[in-house]
């Protein structure tokens, strides 16, 4: 056991820990890139949400038009029925 301890000098341990620190720095840079990409995805989802809002508004207008046309047809049909009596 003493020979193994002699092989691992303080300098060698420091060298290993520096290497570990470098690896963690690399991982931190990769996570920063992932965070940047998630921000891009978030902006794209905001754009998609805006498009869905516009589409929803169009469907609302279409539904109101159909409802008003249905009301007009009902009134016309009622007028035809009442005039034939």
């Amino acid at each position: 056991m003493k020979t193994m301890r002699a092989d691992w000098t303080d300098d060698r341990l420091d060298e290993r820990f520096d290497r570990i620190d470098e690896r963690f720095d690399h991982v931190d840079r990769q996570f920063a890139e992932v965070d940047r990409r998630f921000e891009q995805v978030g902006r794209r989802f905001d754009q998609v949400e805006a498009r869905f809002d516009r589409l929803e508004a169009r469907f609302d207008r279409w539904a109101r038009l159909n409802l008003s046309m249905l009301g007009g047809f009902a009134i016309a049909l009622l007028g035809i029925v009442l005039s034939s009596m």
Side-chain angles (χ1 to χ4, degrees), residues 35-50:
D35 288 342
R36 186 184 65 77
R37 287 185 180 181
F38 272 122
E39 288 172 8
Q40 289 175 342
V41 169
R43 284 192 298 272
R44 292 188 73 183
F45 272 118
D46 290 341
Q47 292 172 352
V48 169
E49 186 176 350

Side-chain angles (χ1 to χ4, degrees), residues 5-67:
R5 179 162 168 78
D7 289 343
W8 284 91
T9 62
D10 287 342
D11 290 336
R12 190 167 178 194
L13 285 172
D14 288 340
E15 186 179 297
R16 290 288 179 194
F17 282 120
D18 289 342
R19 180 76 174 128
I20 290 171
D21 288 340
E22 288 173 12
R23 299 288 303 260
F24 275 112
D25 290 341
H26 178 72
V27 169
D28 286 342
R29 284 191 301 273
Q30 287 178 329
F31 274 116
E33 177 67 20
V34 168
D35 288 342
R36 186 184 65 77
R37 287 185 180 181
F38 272 122
E39 288 172 8
Q40 289 175 342
V41 169
R43 284 192 298 272
R44 292 188 73 183
F45 272 118
D46 290 341
Q47 292 172 352
V48 169
E49 186 176 350
R51 291 180 73 184
F52 274 120
D53 288 342
R54 288 193 309 266
L55 187 60
E56 184 178 357
R58 289 178 71 183
F59 276 120
D60 287 343
R61 287 191 306 268
W62 185 72
R64 275 193 301 267
L65 175 65
N66 282 337
L67 190 59

